[in-house]
Amino acid sequence: MAMVRVEHLVKTYGAARALDDVTLEFPDGGFFGLLGPSGSGKTTLLRAIAGFVLPETGRVFIDDEPVENVPVEKRGIGMVFQNYALFPNMTVAENVAFGLAVRKVTEAEKKRRVAEALELVQLAAFGARKPHQLSGGQRQRVAMARAIVTQPRVLLLDEPLSALDKALRVDMQIELKRIQREIGITTIFVTHDQEEALTLSDRIGILKDGRLIRHGPPREVYDDPQDSFTATFLGDARIFSGTVEAGGLRLADGTLVPGVRTPTVAVRPENLHLSVAEPDLPCRLQARLGQKIFGGALGTCLLDWRGEVIKVLGRDADFRDLPESGPVWVGWRPEHSIQMSG
Ligand SMILES: Nc1ncnc2c1ncn2[C@@H]1O[C@H](COP(=O)(O)OP(=O)(O)OP(=O)(O)O)[C@@H](O)[C@H]1O
Ligand SMILES: [Mg+2]
């Protein structure tokens, strides 16, 4: 186990800043989820920590030791790449043993460690198979075994579950968390799937254009996103802008959102309530119901508010009695107004 810290990392490719002054700490034994749009620098950050990418400026520390002069294989890092490449002509066991290839371990020790790693990913009986004889999730687990067989201090996972379908992905999320807990390894995990990041991580960080926009415990960042990029990237949010007055925020249609002291406010779709009659909620506005979308247990309503869409998420049962279209009220409780600083 180890604590990882990066300080003022800058990496440019031509005119593009893949990392733009990133400073961040990854706690010892924690599960850190890195999120951000495509091209925001997630892979570059992992590669800089691993040592595949040399930053122009800034430093990487593992357990408070600077590692700029430590080569990749000596950093104590296990990595599962974005397109986890298994060798097709090698068996599962040989693929896992490959992680130990450059290390000085005896054959007996190698065998023992490979067996242990396969056990951990629940593939003990699969050692003799070839990758093409495995399912996607099993291949994924071989890649994991290969990364942990070296007993690394830090595990870097670059979208390890992106190739899997939804059901398998959820299974693998549980599996991943179990393995991480079992060996207590400091893990940095990149994903495009914000739900996945929220579920798995003790802390998350959000990158945009090579910059770290926000970081913290998932619930904290979700409940108080502070800027509109984070609010809409992590979860869904409707942003309202207006003019700040003594009593609150005055929107373009004259609606006063009480208590808000910033020019923009965000509201999560799950915190909006729909009704035909004017609701007894201090924050409310009138809109038109455009579309009701059935989604199983949960449903979505799309409203038209001055030509803009407001999305409302709720239990399907809550929407059943609403008309298909026409004027409706949408309301929310004042504590669900998220004031935006940017
Ligand atoms: N070897 C390279 N040469 C040139 N540009 C690169 C190289 N690697 C990354 N970049 C650029 O740096 C930026 C960040 O890339 P990076 O791969 O870190 O993004 P990412 O957040 O991992 O994206 P994705 O979610 O698509 O995997 C992008 O603009 C990318 O085009
Ligand atoms: Mg990437």
Side-chain angles (χ1 to χ4, degrees):
M1 287 207 283
M3 185 260 276
V4 177
R5 196 167 79 246
V6 300
E7 283 181 4
H8 303 294
L9 285 190
V10 174
K11 177 69 195 172
T12 52
Y13 291 107
R17 287 210 150 191
L19 294 178
D20 191 358
D21 197 19
V22 175
T23 296
L24 185 56
E25 194 170 299
F26 305 91
D28 193 356
F31 199 110
F32 195 103
L34 264 183
L35 279 161
S38 186
S40 58
K42 305 180 295 296
T43 297
T44 307
L45 179 54
L46 289 197
R47 293 175 69 84
I49 293 169
F52 295 111
V53 156
L54 294 181
E56 276 110 66
T57 58
R59 312 186 78 181
V60 177
F61 298 85
I62 301 178
D63 273 344
D64 287 326
E65 290 202 28
V67 293
E68 50 260 30
N69 296 319
V70 181
V72 177
E73 68 279 6
K74 294 250 164 68
R75 290 193 184 186
I77 280 171
M79 187 156 176
V80 176
F81 293 93
Q82 200 160 1
N83 52 348
Y84 58 96
L86 299 179
F87 301 105
N89 53 339
M90 288 187 193
T91 65
V92 164
E94 286 162 355
N95 264 287
V96 174
F98 187 80
L100 295 168
V102 292
R103 276 152 231 263
K104 289 192 189 71
V105 284
T106 63
E107 276 308 307
E109 171 73 1
K110 192 186 272 183
K111 233 179 167 159
R112 192 185 62 75
R113 287 227 219 150
V114 168
E116 212 174 80
L118 285 177
E119 183 79 38
L120 194 65
V121 298
Q122 299 180 341
L123 285 179
F126 290 72
R129 291 211 200 173
K130 294 277 177 66
H132 73 267
Q133 296 167 311
L134 302 175
S135 72
Q138 289 165 340
R139 264 178 245 162
Q140 192 58 69
R141 283 184 274 160
V142 177
M144 273 292 288
R146 187 175 57 187
I148 58 188
V149 74
T150 58
Q151 300 166 342
R153 300 188 285 171
V154 181
L155 192 57
L156 305 179
L157 307 172
D158 198 352
E159 302 201 44
L161 309 182
S162 57
L164 309 178
D165 68 43
K166 177 86 180 161
L168 192 52
R169 203 181 164 108
V170 172
D171 286 350
M172 282 299 297
Q173 288 172 3
I174 296 166
E175 191 78 342
L176 195 58
K177 192 78 187 176
R178 177 188 65 78
I179 295 170
Q180 194 264 342
R181 282 225 183 93
E182 216 165 298
I183 54 182
I185 191 172
T186 309
T187 302
I188 309 174
F189 174 83
V190 168
T191 178
H192 263 118
D193 182 337
Q194 28 146 314
E195 208 179 299
E196 188 166 279
L198 292 173
T199 318
L200 290 175
S201 320
D202 332 309
R203 298 182 72 81
I204 56 169
I206 298 177
L207 286 171
K208 182 193 178 206
D209 300 330
R211 289 188 152 267
L212 181 72
I213 301 283
R214 233 357 246 295
H215 63 101
R219 182 178 295 278
E220 211 170 274
V221 178
Y222 185 83
D223 286 346
D224 185 21
Q226 293 178 4
D227 62 275
S228 40
F229 176 79
T230 305
T232 49
F233 186 77
L234 190 70
D236 218 328
R238 171 66 225 202
I239 311 276
F240 295 104
S241 300
T243 318
V244 181
E245 294 182 2
L249 182 66
R250 182 76 65 187
L251 307 185
D253 68 348
T255 299
L256 186 75
V257 186
V260 174
R261 281 172 205 88
T262 51
T264 46
V265 64
V267 191
R268 300 281 186 200
E270 68 269 25
N271 293 329
L272 294 173
H273 302 279
L274 274 188
S275 56
V276 175
E278 186 168 358
D280 186 20
L281 286 164
C283 308
R284 58 183 184 277
L285 48 85
Q286 280 187 291
R288 293 191 69 81
L289 182 53
Q291 207 183 344
K292 289 205 281 183
I293 303 166
F294 176 67
L298 292 179
T300 307
C301 284
L302 300 180
L303 315 184
D304 175 2
W305 180 71
R306 305 170 52 83
E308 294 174 43
V309 178
I310 298 178
K311 193 162 130 185
V312 180
L313 201 67
R315 291 189 311 139
D316 189 64
D318 299 337
F319 299 151
R320 218 165 280 163
D321 295 334
L322 290 173
E324 288 307 310
S325 59
V328 284
W329 284 91
V330 54
W332 66 94
R333 303 218 301 264
E335 63 267 34
H336 287 140
S337 289
I338 312 170
Q339 307 199 40
M340 297 278 103
S341 58

